[in-house]
Amino acid sequence: MKTLLTLLFAMLILGTKAQEYFEWPLKELDTAREVSYLSSEEKDVILELNKVRSNPAMYARLSLKWMEVYYSGKLLKIPGKEVYETEEGKTAFLECLGELEKAAPAPLLYPSKGMSKACDLLVYDQSATGKTGHRGSGNSSPTDRLANFGTFTGHFGENIHYGDCEPAFVVISLLIDDGVKSRGHRKSILDPSFHFTGVAIGTHKVYGHMCVNTYATAFNEK
């Protein structure tokens, strides 16, 4: 029994040390850094997405797990941020951790100028109207906006986050997907069929800020 406990303790220490010395391969993951049409924050969203896609389990351990202690019932009280009232409390958070621990890696996402311009259209619209959701003025759909700048093949998806748009928080919030029964935002982030992405961050009349993030298997720019 003593030998088993010693072995388990050693494994725990080694696991902790492995996490301490883990470094993200940023040169590989930072696929948007050199483009000129995205802000630094928008580029950071893509970097964050590529971190979680490249190693979901490590992302859960390094970027999510620390948040657990800041849940108080249905309130999330992260130091330095506004108190956030969740719908599910810690339930969605713990589920997300479990899903990431067993998720398979997905291909890296590469930035698309046309897809980002389509995201900009919705940000520009809702920054003035204060509306939310995937429909823009004139009842335009995500694919309607995308058609202005090119055509996609394969699968397509759109995620929207409202409120605090610090890049890591955007991705973490969408991964947890609190209150969304389908966990559709999380599924989009982890979907292995996606290879290209568009991002736009801007102001929102009601929530202060918003981030629109689209995904496609392939995209042909106009």
Side-chain angles (χ1 to χ4, degrees):
M1 184 67 172
K2 184 176 180 181
T3 303
L4 177 60
L5 289 174
T6 302
L7 177 61
L8 289 174
F9 180 73
M11 290 173 65
L12 177 62
I13 293 298
L14 287 172
T16 302
K17 291 294 184 183
Q19 289 185 43
E20 287 178 355
Y21 292 112
F22 178 83
E23 290 187 10
W24 295 103
L26 296 182
K27 287 186 178 180
E28 176 186 354
L29 303 181
D30 203 6
T31 57
R33 193 57 52 186
E34 299 305 317
V35 303
S36 61
Y37 53 85
L38 296 174
S39 69
S40 60
E41 290 80 11
E42 291 162 348
K43 295 174 185 179
D44 286 343
V45 168
I46 296 177
L47 173 58
E48 207 69 21
L49 290 169
N50 280 335
K51 284 181 181 180
V52 65
R53 285 170 68 90
S54 69
N55 196 331
M58 189 59 73
Y59 193 86
R61 296 165 201 164
L62 296 181
S63 299
L64 261 81
K65 196 166 180 58
W66 63 270
M67 288 176 55
E68 185 173 359
V69 298
Y70 296 112
Y71 277 90
S72 177
K74 291 192 174 182
L75 299 180
L76 179 58
K77 302 178 178 179
I78 299 175
K81 293 187 178 293
E82 292 185 13
V83 175
Y84 177 70
E85 185 172 359
T86 70
E87 293 186 31
E88 301 177 63
K90 200 184 289 187
T91 301
F93 171 79
L94 293 176
E95 178 196 289
C96 181
L97 281 181
E99 287 292 322
L100 291 179
E101 285 286 356
K102 64 183 182 182
L108 296 183
L109 295 170
Y110 290 86
S112 161
K113 185 174 184 178
M115 291 173 66
S116 297
K117 285 184 175 181
C119 294
D120 275 324
L121 289 181
L122 188 62
V123 171
Y124 179 80
D125 186 346
Q126 295 186 350
S127 67
T129 66
K131 293 182 178 180
T132 61
H134 297 279
R135 290 282 174 175
S137 293
N139 203 34
S140 67
S141 69
T143 52
D144 290 335
R145 294 186 291 273
L146 197 66
N148 292 296
F149 307 103
T151 56
F152 76 91
T153 54
H155 296 105
F156 175 78
E158 181 179 80
N159 283 351
I160 309 174
H161 169 84
Y162 298 95
D164 185 343
C165 280
E166 189 274 317
F169 189 74
V170 169
V171 174
I172 289 170
S173 178
L174 292 169
L175 280 170
I176 296 172
D177 227 0
D178 175 70
V180 181
K181 188 176 181 180
S182 68
R183 305 300 191 221
H185 301 101
R186 183 191 305 164
K187 290 175 182 176
S188 292
I189 290 174
L190 298 173
D191 192 329
S193 73
F194 292 140
H195 297 276
F196 292 90
T197 187
V199 184
I201 295 174
T203 60
H204 188 270
K205 192 173 182 179
V206 176
Y207 293 100
H209 293 87
M210 64 181 290
C211 176
V212 182
N213 179 211
T214 54
Y215 307 87
T217 303
F219 186 72
N220 298 311
E221 310 265 352
K222 277 188 176 179

